[in-house]
Amino acid sequence: QVQLVESGGGLVQPGGSLRLSCAASGFTLDYYAIGWFRQAPGKEREGVSCISSSDGSTYYGDFVEGRFTISRDNAKNMVYLQMNGLKPEDTAVYYCAAISECNVDYDAWRDNGSWGQGTQVTVSS
């Protein structure tokens, strides 16, 4: 059974940091690109970051502005999203998803990706 489970969310003050984890079971992450997405209340889901399977290339949404870092540990079947300098507008449910290769087209992720259930990140003082 293919499964992705996110963890590491929580409440943090503006300027703080969180590290999100995405754990895979039922399949090997080595062969998949992993993306992080987020969805705030009343807003569409948006891409945050992606790390490719082939060469480990990383991609980030423009709003990240150097604050987040995606990484993968294939030996542990895990992908991480280190988030620093968090802002209130980063508040959202964060999801990880697996797909064959990083893709800017969200429809491809929606139709072909495997998704976790999400973890809540709240940035507030």
Side-chain angles (χ1 to χ4, degrees):
Q1 181 182 359
V2 173
Q3 189 175 15
L4 292 171
V5 179
E6 303 92 338
S7 62
L11 173 63
V12 63
Q13 292 186 342
S17 298
L18 284 173
R19 189 177 81 155
L20 305 184
S21 298
C22 175
S25 61
F27 69 105
T28 303
L29 278 181
D30 302 37
Y31 305 113
Y32 293 87
I34 303 298
W36 284 97
F37 295 78
R38 70 184 187 183
Q39 188 166 19
K43 294 188 177 181
E44 293 186 348
R45 195 169 295 188
E46 64 178 345
V48 177
S49 182
C50 185
I51 186 165
S52 73
S53 61
S54 55
D55 59 4
S57 295
T58 58
Y59 307 90
Y60 299 93
D62 290 342
F63 60 86
V64 170
E65 299 175 323
R67 299 178 296 132
F68 300 173
T69 303
I70 190 171
S71 61
R72 63 194 304 156
D73 186 337
N74 288 339
K76 295 183 178 179
N77 227 26
M78 297 282 291
V79 172
Y80 306 99
L81 184 68
Q82 177 68 43
M83 304 189 296
N84 301 325
L86 284 162
K87 305 175 182 179
E89 51 263 44
D90 293 318
T91 295
V93 178
Y94 283 70
Y95 301 87
C96 65
I99 200 170
S100 58
E101 198 48 79
C102 291
N103 197 320
V104 298
D105 182 2
Y106 173 73
D107 290 348
W109 291 88
R110 183 195 62 202
D111 296 340
N112 303 307
S114 297
W115 290 82
Q117 293 302 306
T119 184
Q120 176 70 48
V121 171
T122 303
V123 185
S124 176
S125 55

